[in-house]
Amino acid sequence: MDVRNGSERAITPPAHCPACNAPIVQPEGEIAYYCFNAACPAQLVQKLTYFTHVLDIEGLGERTAVQLVEQELVKDSADLYFLEKNNLLMLEGFADKKADNLLEAIAQAKDRPFGRVLAALGIRGVGGTVAHVLAAAFPSLAALASASEESIAAVEGIGPITAQNILTWFASPHNRDMVDKLRQAGLRLESEGKAAAIVGEQPLVGLTFVITGTLSQPRNDVIAWIESQGGKVAGSVSQKTSYLVTGENPGGSKFNRAQALNIPMLNEDQLRALT
């Protein structure tokens, strides 16, 4: 039933973000409007919780993130690595034990591999799989930051939109400062490199996989296993894709694209059975 009565009026999107007054942008081909100010305080809590989720920093949920932002103890995710115990003891619900545990969890997260650090930055369109593909193509964050749009877009599974998002992210002085602080804190901002020779057979050599859905184990572990067997992992389905690996709830563009191209699909057990 049409509930319109003729009194409707067109909505004019705001020209500036109500939280930071930065210009509002509508990316080409999208319906939504966004604030792309990396320092926007309204976005900081979600950026912190995403960062800690990707890097598995236990004990820092949304409530703690809100307190850190409200107390102005962090201006970006990198500031987590410069927190001191007395900072945390200012927060509601924190005593010695809880503060020590969180500081230890933050310190342990310095050892996460480059691909996960890249995913944690929150670059639009760069989730775990895409970050892993980029980390394989560019040996360091500095190399990615200095790469051209064409060279990034040429990486299999990336494309021009994600490439432009990456350039836009690194163009922000706020984001570049955050990267500098991450480097000072000692996070891994470059790939460790693969072994010069891998002992044993590699039954997945020549095969390219794309992953979709929720897996029974961390996606990065599955990617690492595929690569240890000689296979490649791409971020999107194409005619070069050998198999689509599906977890729970595998719907979406990857699944539909694979169906359209008649790409074979495997669950996790079937993937392991290839070896």
Side-chain angles (χ1 to χ4, degrees), residues 129-198:
T129 300
V130 171
H132 192 88
V133 171
L134 288 167
F138 299 94
S140 67
L141 198 62
L144 178 60
S146 61
S148 67
E149 181 177 350
E150 292 75 19
S151 63
I152 299 173
V155 176
E156 184 177 355
I158 303 303
I161 295 177
T162 300
Q164 182 58 55
N165 290 340
I166 292 169
L167 263 63
T168 299
W169 194 91
F170 280 109
S172 163
H174 178 87
N175 290 335
R176 293 198 299 271
D177 288 344
M178 185 178 76
V179 169
D180 287 340
K181 286 189 285 185
L182 291 174
R183 185 175 291 108
Q184 293 171 25
L187 272 75
R188 296 182 180 180
L189 302 184
E190 58 185 25
S191 298
E192 294 181 329
K194 299 179 181 178
I198 300 177

Side-chain angles (χ1 to χ4, degrees), residues 44 48 51 60 68 72-84 87-88 103 106 174 177-182 184-185 187:
L44 182 52
L48 285 175
F51 185 88
L60 206 164
L68 290 171
E72 298 185 348
L73 294 173
V74 296
K75 298 296 185 182
D76 56 43
S77 298
D79 286 339
L80 294 174
Y81 293 96
F82 299 93
L83 289 172
E84 298 179 352
N87 298 138
L88 297 179
L103 290 175
I106 292 172
H174 178 87
D177 288 344
M178 185 178 76
V179 169
D180 287 340
K181 286 189 285 185
L182 291 174
Q184 293 171 25
L187 272 75

Side-chain angles (χ1 to χ4, degrees), residues 9 21 35 46 60 63 70-71 90 95 98 132 148 153 162 181 183 186 192 212 215 236 250 252 262:
R9 292 184 298 174
N21 203 40
C35 169
Q46 295 303 316
L60 206 164
R63 180 184 178 188
E70 289 180 344
Q71 295 294 328
M90 296 169 52
K98 186 173 181 179
H132 192 88
S148 67
T162 300
K181 286 189 285 185
R183 185 175 291 108
E192 294 181 329
T212 186
L215 304 175
S236 62
N262 293 317

Side-chain angles (χ1 to χ4, degrees), residues 27 77 85 102 118 172 185 187 233 244 254:
S77 298
K85 186 173 181 178
L102 179 53
L118 177 56
S172 163
L187 272 75
V233 178
L244 179 69
K254 293 178 182 177

